[in-house]
Amino acid sequence: MQKEKTITENNLTKGNVLRILFTFSLPFIAANLIQALYGAVDLFVIGRYCSPESVAAVSTGTQVTQIITSMITGLTLGSTILVGKYTGMKDEERTCRTIGTTLSVFAVVALVLTVGMLIFRDAILAALKTPATSMDEARQYVTICFCGIFFICGYNAISALLRGYGDSRRPMYFV
């Protein structure tokens, strides 16, 4: 009878370091690149079919969303480290506590960021010198993006936890 493979079987501490580094980091890099390309795809589509004001609106909104995504990705890396550490130590209790804390913290972060960004939406757009002719469309675009912060936080938190177990492929497949 063959043993079912689990997430915890991705041992990053044994084997050729260079091979392990590449097989772990390439899916991580690819997932981050795909996330960054979301805004580029939006700009490509808008640029082909809409007015220059729409392009300016999406360009501005994409920059704000990319900053938020990068910030969240960076913050979740701490969870990756802790899950990896506790998994390597075979400390199931601390691993579970780290998972629960990560999911709870990033649910709160998502709520606070979403509300804060929606409240300060116009101030953010003004600070970015959004052209007056693009302001209404920029406001609409960033509102939609800000409503997706919960999903950005959720994806990055779960991805960080999986990476802590040594699994960088599933987050890439999901994104």
Side-chain angles (χ1 to χ4, degrees):
M1 183 175 206
Q2 188 175 359
K3 184 180 173 189
E4 186 178 323
K5 187 175 180 180
T6 63
I7 295 172
T8 56
E9 290 182 38
N10 296 321
N11 190 332
L12 301 177
T13 62
K14 294 181 181 166
N16 181 294
V17 173
L18 192 57
R19 183 186 63 76
I20 290 170
L21 181 65
F22 278 116
T23 58
F24 179 79
S25 63
L26 289 177
F28 180 67
I29 292 167
N32 286 337
L33 181 63
I34 292 167
Q35 278 188 299
L37 287 175
Y38 285 148
V41 169
D42 285 351
L43 277 172
F44 176 77
V45 171
I46 295 298
R48 279 189 68 88
Y49 301 106
C50 297
S51 68
E53 292 80 17
S54 298
V55 172
V58 171
S59 178
T60 302
T62 297
Q63 295 307 310
V64 175
T65 304
Q66 187 59 40
I67 290 168
I68 292 168
T69 301
S70 296
M71 181 181 71
I72 292 167
T73 301
L75 291 172
T76 59
L77 284 176
S79 299
T80 300
I81 293 165
L82 289 175
V83 168
K85 174 183 173 180
Y86 297 139
T87 299
M89 293 169 55
K90 300 191 184 330
D91 188 338
E92 193 173 316
E93 181 184 334
R94 283 207 228 159
T95 302
C96 289
R97 221 177 1 190
T98 300
I99 291 169
T101 301
T102 297
L103 296 176
S104 300
V105 165
F106 282 96
V108 172
V109 166
L111 180 63
V112 169
L113 264 177
T114 300
V115 171
M117 297 305 272
L118 289 171
I119 289 171
F120 295 108
R121 173 187 55 205
D122 290 342
I124 292 166
L125 293 174
L128 292 172
K129 307 282 188 221
T130 305
T133 56
S134 301
M135 188 59 84
D136 287 339
E137 290 174 317
R139 190 178 296 114
Q140 290 172 8
Y141 183 79
V142 297
T143 299
I144 291 167
C145 292
F146 293 164
C147 289
I149 289 173
F150 180 79
F151 299 103
I152 293 169
C153 283
Y155 164 77
N156 281 288
I158 291 169
S159 295
L161 298 173
L162 288 170
R163 289 181 189 120
Y165 277 113
D167 184 356
S168 61
R169 289 190 180 132
R170 287 185 188 141
M172 180 192 67
Y173 298 149
F174 184 72
V175 78

